[in-house]
Amino acid sequence: MSSVATSRPRLSGVDAARGLALFGMMAIHVLSAVSEDGEPTLTWLLFAGKAAALFALLAGVTLAFTTRRARTEGGHFLVAARWSVAARAGLVTTLGLAIAYVDMDAFIILAYYGAMFLLAIPLLGVSTRTLLVAAAGFALLGPILMQGLRDYLPEPGFDPTFTTVLTEPGVFLSQLLLTGTYPAIPWLAYIAAGLAIGRMSLDRPSVQLGLLGFGSALAAAAWLGSQLLLAGPGFDRLLASEPDLRTGDLQEILVWGTEEYLPTSSWWWLSIAAPHTTTPFDLLHTIGVAAGVLGAMLLVSRFAGKALLLLSAPGRMTLTLYCAHLLFLGTGALVDLPEFSLWLQITVFIIFAVIWQLARKQGPLEKLVSRGAAAARESVLRRHPDTRSAHRGP
């Protein structure tokens, strides 16, 4: 969720991808996952797990944008950038813990987002090649760590709040890092991949086509790899690992995932690619989808003109709009009219965002987070006046 402008011209395709991720998450929150004939709906097939993954990958892209100059110049500039990201992480986590007190039928990503930002700080100064290796490492090893430790960690609650922090700090930490809906350690794969992508020349058509092609290939390869394993010994091994598990139940898990988290009875559970299972195949598949979508939106932005405002304007203030959406869910309004509720929210958000963008202002929460991050950065640079003036330029 972007909140800081960069010194380079803003890429409307990145904002549009972020807007698409916002609306996709809203659709998952509001619309049914199951059609009348018991099959997954189009909304579920398009957005389940993928919209949140796109959000996370774009968070890495934004971190690359906002720390580009600091990484190049190094020294105190990089230290200042790291403190800035830490401040951003704290503020986003605070928002997530606060809004979790609102009773709603949706998982909240914000506190996990903050944990991802904190864990990403050591990655800000590393090479692009190291970032790609890190993305692969987190995607492959993160789920193994998560699966191996799950039986030894406390069971997570629905969403952490300040009360969780004070009364159950172990639950809070383990939930954010490994056992929650968006566990930060394996999900660092999205952040690392986004950081690497954000360093590319995203305004070049060749790079945009490369993202679309490579992302599509990775998504297809990960999905196919999972299917091949399950078509071989995987399906039977999973059935054998859970005596009470029936064939129909397992088939449902492969489509919708589990209500809580994957069983730890067999490592073969890591071979599935269902939404929000956070397996290697799920992570690699959704990284590919996210990269492909970003490449597609960058290409579309080359000729879409002002029509792209329908996505790019909300994409410039997703933190504000995401929180507004959660608060609306908390009211329980229009719960019996899900389609109308979704399109009403989307329409209002687009109108509000376009008007706000015409005034050339950051969203309210984006401005709050930006000021906090800027204050942390300036506090470091003030201790080094020579670098502070150099950072500002002539």
Side-chain angles (χ1 to χ4, degrees):
M1 298 173 188
S2 177
S3 56
V4 175
T6 70
S7 59
R8 292 190 176 189
R10 194 169 185 112
L11 292 169
S12 60
V14 175
D15 291 327
R18 198 178 290 111
L20 180 63
L22 170 68
F23 293 153
M25 290 186 74
M26 290 169 55
I28 290 297
H29 291 164
V30 175
L31 301 181
S32 174
V34 187
S35 64
E36 293 182 357
D37 58 1
E39 296 298 318
T41 61
L42 181 61
T43 298
W44 181 261
L45 293 175
L46 289 177
F47 298 119
K50 303 178 183 71
L54 180 56
F55 253 140
L57 182 132
L58 290 171
V61 172
T62 300
L63 283 180
F65 288 170
T66 57
T67 60
R68 180 184 285 117
R69 186 172 181 181
R71 182 180 64 86
T72 301
E73 298 183 358
H76 300 303
F77 298 120
L78 187 56
V79 173
R82 285 170 171 157
W83 279 102
S84 176
V85 172
R88 182 183 306 278
L91 290 168
V92 171
T93 300
T94 298
L95 281 171
L97 297 177
I99 206 168
Y101 284 105
V102 179
D103 185 17
M104 69 188 80
D105 189 19
F107 291 102
I108 303 170
I109 199 173
L110 294 179
Y112 299 94
Y113 236 54
M116 291 178 216
F117 286 161
L118 276 179
L119 294 179
I121 289 175
L123 299 176
L124 298 180
V126 304
S127 67
T128 301
R129 177 178 295 182
T130 301
L131 286 173
L132 293 174
V133 172
F138 284 118
L140 297 174
L141 301 179
I144 294 175
L145 181 66
M146 179 185 70
Q147 198 78 342
L149 294 179
R150 181 162 280 159
D151 289 341
Y152 305 98
L153 296 173
E155 186 173 343
F158 188 73
D159 274 316
T161 64
F162 292 111
T163 303
T164 313
V165 176
L166 295 174
T167 62
E168 298 178 292
V171 172
F172 171 71
L173 289 175
S174 62
Q175 183 172 359
L176 288 191
L177 297 178
L178 287 170
T179 64
T181 309
Y182 313 100
I185 290 179
W187 274 56
L188 268 182
Y190 299 116
I191 302 294
L195 276 166
I197 290 171
R199 294 180 181 179
M200 299 176 182
S201 299
L202 295 179
D203 56 339
R204 295 183 179 179
S206 59
V207 173
Q208 298 165 359
L209 285 169
L211 283 174
L212 176 58
F214 175 78
S216 300
L218 177 60
W223 182 85
L224 181 60
S226 173
Q227 296 304 306
L228 289 174
L229 286 175
L230 292 170
F235 195 91
D236 291 336
R237 294 288 182 88
L238 292 178
L239 283 177
S241 71
E242 294 286 325
D244 296 330
L245 186 66
R246 296 175 297 179
T247 299
D249 297 330
L250 179 54
Q251 289 172 337
E252 289 187 0
I253 290 174
L254 298 180
V255 174
W256 284 289
T258 59
E259 292 184 2
E260 295 181 354
Y261 45 77
L262 290 177
T264 57
S265 53
S266 171
W267 290 106
W268 279 96
W269 285 106
L270 295 181
S271 67
I272 73 174
H276 289 300
T277 50
T278 314
T279 67
F281 291 100
D282 173 37
L283 291 169
L284 292 172
H285 174 70
T286 49
I287 286 173
V289 170
V293 169
L294 175 57
M297 297 310 300
L298 287 166
L299 287 167
V300 169
S301 70
R302 303 184 71 86
F303 56 84
K306 293 184 178 179
L308 203 64
L309 277 174
L310 298 178
L311 286 175
S312 63
R316 294 186 67 169
M317 53 189 309
T318 48
L319 180 58
T320 295
L321 298 182
Y322 177 74
C323 290
H325 163 68
L326 294 177
L327 292 174
F328 182 82
L329 291 182
T331 68
L334 302 178
V335 67
D336 295 326
L337 298 170
E339 290 83 5
F340 177 75
S341 174
L342 176 64
W343 286 109
L344 175 64
Q345 291 179 67
I346 289 176
T347 302
V348 170
F349 287 175
I350 289 174
I351 293 172
F352 177 77
V354 169
I355 293 173
W356 200 275
Q357 182 170 321
L358 291 175
R360 298 191 176 185
K361 297 178 179 178
Q362 287 183 305
L365 292 181
E366 283 75 10
K367 188 172 184 178
L368 171 67
V369 173
S370 288
R371 285 183 172 179
R377 180 177 60 251
E378 289 299 313
S379 69
V380 175
L381 296 179
R382 272 196 298 269
R383 296 196 290 269
H384 306 277
D386 53 333
T387 57
R388 185 167 176 260
S389 61
H391 185 62
R392 287 185 171 181

